Amino acid sequence: MTSTRPPRRPGDLARGLAAVLLVATMVVGLPVGLLEFGADPRRLMPDPWPRWAEIDVWLERTWHAARFALGDGTLIPGLLLAVLWLTWLVMLGLVLTETIHQLRRGIHTVRSGVGPRRWIAGLVAAILIVLLPQSAVALPATGSTPVATALHDPEGSGRGTVRKATVSTVDAGLARRRTVDPAVRPECPRLTVQPGDTMASLARTHLGDPRRHNEIHRLNADRIPNAHALYPGDVLLLPPPASNTPPVGTRTVTVSAGETASSIAQREYGHHGGWWRLWNDNHHRPQPDGRSWTDPDQLRPGWRLWITQPPTRPGTPPPPTPPPPPATTTTSPSPSPATVAPTPNPGQPSPGAPAETVVKMPSGAIVGIGFALSIAVAATALRLRRRHRRRLTGTLQPPAPSPAMPPTVALLERAARPHDPEPAPRRSWPPPPAVLTAHTDTGNVRTLDLADAAGLGLTGEGATAAARAMVTAILATDTRYPAELLLAGAPATECLPALAPAEQPGVRCFADLAPALEVLEAEVARRTRLHVDAELDDHRGAPATAETAERQFDPDEAVPTLLLLTTPEAASTPRLRSVLELGRQLGVVGLLLGSWSSRLDIAADGLIATASGEHTAAMVGARAETLTDTEAAETLSVVLAARGGADPVASAPEARTETATVEATAAPTRPAPVRLQVFGPPRITVVGKEITHGLRNLGREVLAYLATHPSGTGAAALQDQLMPEVAADTGRAQIHTAVSNIRTALRKATGIAEAQFVHSRGGRYRLDPELIAVDAHELAATILQARAAIGEQDQSRALRRVLDLARPGPPLDEVGYLWAEEIRESLRQQASNALLRLATLVREPDPETAIDALSVAIALDPYAESVYQQLVQLHLDVGHRSAAVAIYRQLKVRLADIDTEPTLETEALLQQKVPSSTA
């Protein structure tokens, strides 16, 4: 089969001529030059050649000749001459071999390996591309072997079905390598080869074992006979068990050096906020280097990311034509209308997210998973702020109870945890658009950008509930400069009564609309000036969207989204309309409780019944996110407290819970064969070797839960804590299966065939302390021993064991178990207080151990400023000034995560001992 080779590219001729010159230099120029310098190769050959019987005499003569040559200085030149001629012979052989190979099998370069063959293949390929005619066969049939196109079955031929083979040739052209008939093995996933792929790397990524590359080769041997010669664009069939293959309609992009999730999202989706869709589609997938994407802020060059397309809305009859809006004067073109595509808000769902995109509240209201994720991030930030404010006692008494989150926040955290096991503040920038989010019965998400509408009016029985949800979602968005809210007038404050009594960070209340408009007009003027300055600096024209404008601001200038919540007043309507029109590209938006040019009529259950104005028609029929007074008050209290506001949850007596502690267990009579490490990432070891295979994820979580509940727990409690979304009967059955898996895996690892490892008595599960040792139990026993010690020396001797137990890191680290939050905090406090007590006891006699203890305590809780203060003071006392400054800077970096700074007490401590220039 022949095919026309594509036309030569402009650089092919130059590369071909350069390759000809280089090959001619190696093959012809080198020997000619040697002969010109008198380096005749015949001088290197024996004359005459010795017979076999004279070989020993010839070797002795040669040895003496070499000795004499070394003496008169001719040995080294002779050896160099021999190496040069030998190199020439090898080069000549490689060029001839590679030329014959490529003429028979087609032009290609060697993509793997190192050494001269790789670059010689490139030189030969460059020369042949220039010399061969344009109508040459893409892959010449000379020497090709007829093979059957029926695909081999790597799992054996026992399926009882034999496919008819069609005979063709291996070298059927480039097109044959890049197409596979959809009717051939439809159960096999298709994969397009990318630059740098090998059969082994693809087997590791998609089959989990690089040694399975032969299975991929067998499936594709009729089209790609040489497993070592893959070309970008080749289409490979993978065995049916293959995983990590892109869905239909998904593209793959390769990460380049310097790229971020936001920059890729801007290029592929048209906005920075699309990084959340990118994260949902790719964070769980193994990458070619064997790693996976675990931090949205860290991408590695060479990783391959899936780019999914937004879901298309199912066909529905077009909504009725809305009445024309009142005539207004606009100064900017109309932005794009509301779409069915997911919102770019980092807190909103994406096509890659699981199907459950709606959280149903006890009141009957609904919010999206994205809303729940935003609240979960705020709850995490609040917990970090509480840890920063907490002062550890340094005693060995039980830790103080941790404040509980409000019920609404706890519910949202539980719903968000499967989508993001470890939500953490990321302070993204620029901020995503301020949108109203609604959900359809088919699971689609519809959004309406407030900037597009230049103010959105809400009417109907559900207007205030929808406004509460929208305001909460915008304030909860995790950005460098969080959004700010302006409440103007009595209806607005009645909509959010929890914000009216006192000033909160990012919230300003006004008695009526006029003073709020003055603030917005001044801010619009300021941002317009900043925008013009940015344009002059960058020599750019006016941006087309609000996001582009915000991107041109100086990142050090605070330009948060400004949201006005008010009721339109006839006297102020022209000013309000002007402010919202001018603010469309400057992050100034309005949500109006009443009629406006762009309006949604919302029923009591959140259903959008009618709409009017630009960009609103697509929202009709969807159900808007809503919140009741209580739900909004609870979520906003956490959101604002996470931004530095008052913490009503911590101060309310009813919000406190009982301390979740891990009790000490009776000491085993002999060393346990299995050790379960709770500090740091949970690890299960047998005789020092970690168990990495055979134990399922649910089994590991059951072990971690039982390890932190030594007295045991029932199957119902396990199911409620570990799998609350699963039906009771199904959950208990899965718990029983997980316990059976634990026993099987540990029996195999330890060789103890009859051991139970997990006792089940009276419907309760409990770890066998004789067979499984837990570091958390040892910590509790060590603290009890130190508490009962008579003198300080005995106490410090006992507490040194805490150093070894806590050194692996924070308890239950790198796991997203929601049930573990209270246990994690209790263990952190117990270990930190014990380490502070140890540092106090050994401060004078052994300051190095005291420094070590405080450093481990900081590793346990990097936000505990009181521990940093003690470590800074200790470094200063022993004369380690630079170390004290380094600890202080470490604290500043950590506190920047939660948008706060060290207290004046810490500043004063450092300034007393260190000159201000170094502080």
Side-chain angles (χ1 to χ4, degrees):
M1 181 181 295
T2 64
S3 63
T4 302
R5 192 161 55 92
R8 299 187 182 101
R9 292 172 295 180
D12 290 343
L13 182 60
R15 280 191 292 270
L17 294 177
V20 169
L21 180 61
L22 186 55
V23 171
T25 300
M26 291 189 304
V27 175
V28 179
L30 180 62
V32 170
L34 291 174
L35 291 175
E36 285 294 327
F37 281 100
D40 191 341
R42 289 176 295 181
R43 293 168 47 193
L44 302 174
M45 301 178 186
D47 184 25
W49 286 90
R51 293 188 294 272
W52 182 254
E54 301 173 348
I55 193 69
D56 54 342
V57 177
W58 178 81
L59 289 174
E60 183 178 1
R61 189 185 313 119
T62 303
W63 166 248
H64 289 297
R67 290 175 58 196
F68 291 133
L70 179 63
D72 59 15
T74 59
L75 177 63
I76 300 301
L79 291 177
L80 180 60
L81 177 65
V83 169
L84 289 175
W85 280 110
L86 183 61
T87 301
W88 174 77
L89 285 175
V90 172
M91 292 291 181
L92 180 62
L94 287 176
V95 170
L96 293 176
T97 302
E98 192 63 37
T99 302
I100 296 172
H101 178 78
Q102 295 200 26
L103 288 174
R104 291 176 59 88
R105 292 190 172 253
I107 301 172
H108 70 279
T109 59
V110 180
R111 299 193 56 82
S112 61
V114 295
R117 181 171 178 255
R118 181 170 184 175
W119 57 268
I120 286 178
L123 292 175
V124 173
I127 295 173
L128 294 179
I129 287 174
V130 174
L131 297 181
L132 291 181
Q134 287 294 100
S135 60
V137 181
L139 289 175
T142 306
S144 57
T145 307
V147 297
T149 59
L151 301 177
H152 301 282
D153 186 352
E155 299 179 1
S157 58
R159 298 188 178 184
T161 302
V162 179
R163 299 182 182 268
K164 181 180 288 187
T166 303
V167 177
S168 70
T169 62
V170 173
D171 302 315
L174 186 61
R176 191 159 184 268
R177 300 173 65 98
R178 299 189 173 185
T179 57
V180 179
D181 189 342
V184 176
R185 292 298 294 268
E187 73 277 11
C188 291
R190 271 69 167 164
L191 180 76
T192 302
V193 175
Q194 302 293 328
D197 278 342
T198 65
M199 290 280 188
S201 70
L202 294 174
R204 177 182 61 190
T205 302
H206 301 287
L207 303 180
D209 187 353
R211 293 172 294 183
R212 297 181 63 185
H213 63 89
N214 289 328
E215 298 180 25
I216 302 178
H217 185 217
R218 285 198 298 270
L219 275 174
N220 300 275
D222 59 329
R223 297 180 301 108
I224 303 175
N226 187 357
H228 301 290
L230 288 180
Y231 305 106
D234 288 353
V235 176
L236 297 179
L237 292 170
L238 300 181
S243 62
N244 195 33
T245 53
V248 176
T250 299
R251 296 183 298 106
T252 302
V253 299
T254 301
V255 178
S256 301
E259 287 191 313
T260 65
S262 296
S263 65
I264 295 175
Q266 173 64 31
R267 184 185 71 226
E268 301 295 336
Y269 299 133
H271 53 78
H272 287 289
W275 73 267
W276 190 252
R277 183 196 302 175
L278 203 66
W279 165 256
N280 273 335
D281 291 341
N282 295 277
H283 77 275
H284 59 284
R285 298 193 305 103
Q287 293 295 334
D289 60 0
R291 306 181 183 180
S292 60
W293 190 15
T294 59
D295 186 344
D297 296 325
Q298 293 184 359
L299 280 176
R300 293 179 177 273
W303 282 4
R304 291 177 194 142
L305 304 182
W306 291 350
I307 305 298
T308 59
Q309 299 300 323
T312 56
R313 187 175 58 176
T316 56
T321 303
T328 59
T329 302
T330 59
T331 58
S332 61
S334 300
S336 58
T339 63
V340 182
T343 173
N345 189 327
Q348 299 299 333
S350 69
E356 299 79 7
T357 57
V358 172
V359 182
K360 295 182 179 179
M361 311 297 289
S363 64
I366 66 166
V367 294
I369 288 296
F371 182 95
L373 285 166
S374 295
I375 301 302
V377 170
T380 299
L382 176 56
R383 291 190 180 97
L384 296 179
R385 281 185 172 271
R386 288 174 175 171
R387 284 164 50 185
H388 168 238
R389 292 192 300 262
R390 183 182 62 225
R391 298 197 69 85
L392 296 170
T393 61
T395 66
L396 302 180
Q397 299 305 315
S402 301
M405 288 292 169
T408 301
V409 175
L411 173 66
L412 294 174
E413 279 196 287
R414 187 180 289 270
R417 196 55 61 111
H419 299 258
D420 190 356
E422 295 185 89
R426 299 187 178 100
R427 302 288 185 256
S428 60
W429 192 258
V435 296
L436 182 143
T437 306
H439 304 266
T440 66
D441 294 337
T442 57
N444 287 330
V445 180
R446 299 181 182 179
T447 62
L448 177 60
D449 192 338
L450 293 189
D452 289 349
L456 177 65
L458 301 180
T459 59
E461 296 181 6
T464 55
R468 293 188 200 102
M470 187 173 180
V471 168
T472 305
I474 294 174
L475 292 180
T477 302
D478 179 27
T479 64
R480 182 188 300 178
Y481 303 115
E484 297 182 2
L485 173 66
L486 282 70
L487 294 174
T493 55
E494 291 172 0
C495 176
L496 295 167
L499 303 182
E503 289 290 332
Q504 294 277 11
V507 179
R508 285 180 277 182
C509 300
F510 301 90
D512 52 48
L513 182 55
L517 286 177
E518 292 178 2
V519 172
L520 289 179
E521 288 168 345
E523 185 63 22
V524 167
R526 183 181 78 91
R527 296 188 181 197
T528 302
R529 185 172 60 255
L530 292 174
H531 174 51
V532 171
D533 292 343
E535 283 184 333
L536 293 176
D537 291 341
D538 295 342
H539 303 286
R540 302 180 193 170
T545 65
E547 185 179 348
T548 309
E550 287 165 348
R551 207 167 49 243
Q552 284 189 342
F553 288 138
D554 184 344
D556 294 328
E557 289 283 354
V559 283
T561 299
L562 288 183
L563 172 62
L564 171 66
L565 179 62
T566 188
T567 300
E569 300 174 0
S572 303
T573 295
R575 289 179 64 194
L576 177 58
R577 193 181 303 280
S578 175
V579 166
L580 295 181
E581 283 289 348
L582 294 174
R584 294 172 70 171
Q585 298 181 0
L586 303 172
V588 178
V589 295
L591 185 61
L592 312 172
L593 299 174
S595 182
W596 194 250
S597 56
S598 294
R599 177 186 59 82
L600 300 178
D601 188 76
I602 302 177
D605 62 351
L607 183 67
I608 302 175
T610 61
S612 63
E614 288 185 292
H615 318 313
T616 58
M619 306 299 292
V620 175
R623 188 178 177 190
E625 296 181 353
T626 56
L627 289 177
T628 65
D629 279 336
T630 302
E631 292 163 349
E634 292 180 351
T635 51
L636 283 173
S637 67
V638 171
V639 169
L640 298 178
R643 293 167 60 167
D647 188 354
V649 180
S651 60
E654 62 273 12
R656 292 192 172 274
T657 61
E658 295 182 0
T659 306
T661 58
V662 178
E663 306 90 356
T665 58
T669 57
R670 58 183 180 178
V674 180
R675 180 170 180 79
L676 178 54
Q677 175 184 298
V678 172
F679 281 86
R683 298 176 66 243
I684 303 143
T685 57
V686 175
V687 196
K689 183 178 181 181
E690 184 175 2
I691 298 178
T692 56
H693 300 288
L695 196 56
R696 300 172 185 169
N697 289 337
L698 181 57
R700 293 178 180 274
E701 188 169 0
V702 168
L703 279 176
Y705 189 90
L706 295 177
T708 53
H709 296 77
S711 59
T713 188
L718 274 173
Q719 186 266 334
D720 181 62
Q721 292 292 332
L722 275 56
M723 297 178 294
E725 72 284 353
V726 178
D729 293 341
T730 304
R732 281 194 281 271
Q734 292 183 13
I735 293 295
H736 295 321
T737 302
V739 172
S740 176
N741 170 246
I742 291 170
R743 290 169 176 164
T744 301
L746 295 184
R747 287 169 183 167
K748 181 178 179 181
T750 60
I752 308 176
E754 302 300 325
Q756 290 295 307
F757 293 100
V758 179
H759 291 307
S760 177
R761 297 194 182 106
R764 294 180 65 83
Y765 292 109
R766 184 175 63 86
L767 296 183
D768 186 345
E770 296 291 333
L771 297 176
I772 301 179
V774 182
D775 57 354
H777 302 174
E778 296 179 18
L779 173 70
T782 300
I783 292 176
L784 284 178
Q785 179 185 354
R787 194 185 303 166
I790 299 176
E792 292 185 351
Q793 289 187 351
D794 293 339
Q795 192 175 84
S796 64
R797 190 178 302 111
L799 290 177
R800 288 175 186 270
R801 173 61 177 155
V802 178
L803 264 176
D804 297 328
L805 293 173
R807 199 179 296 278
L812 297 174
D813 194 21
E814 297 182 7
V815 295
Y817 308 150
L818 188 59
W819 57 264
E821 190 58 46
E822 292 184 12
I823 293 292
R824 183 186 288 122
E825 187 60 26
S826 174
L827 288 173
R828 182 186 287 116
Q829 288 192 49
Q830 291 182 65
S832 297
N833 281 324
L835 291 170
L836 262 64
R837 178 59 180 166
L838 174 62
T840 301
L841 294 175
V842 302
R843 185 185 186 98
E844 296 297 332
D846 191 356
E848 293 301 324
T849 299
I851 290 174
D852 189 21
L854 293 175
S855 299
V856 173
I858 287 177
L860 289 178
D861 191 351
Y863 300 91
E865 186 170 357
S866 60
V867 183
Y868 284 90
Q869 290 174 349
Q870 295 196 35
L871 185 55
V872 167
Q873 184 65 64
L874 182 56
H875 275 303
L876 293 173
D877 291 345
V878 298
H880 297 164
R881 293 172 176 262
S882 59
V885 174
I887 294 298
Y888 172 77
R889 290 174 177 166
Q890 179 184 344
L891 172 63
K892 290 192 67 174
V893 171
R894 279 297 184 177
L895 295 187
D897 295 342
I898 55 176
D899 198 23
T900 188
E901 293 184 346
T903 62
L904 294 177
E905 181 182 356
T906 306
E907 297 276 0
L909 175 69
L910 195 62
Q911 290 175 0
Q912 290 175 2
K913 298 294 182 179
V914 181
S916 58
S917 60
T918 60

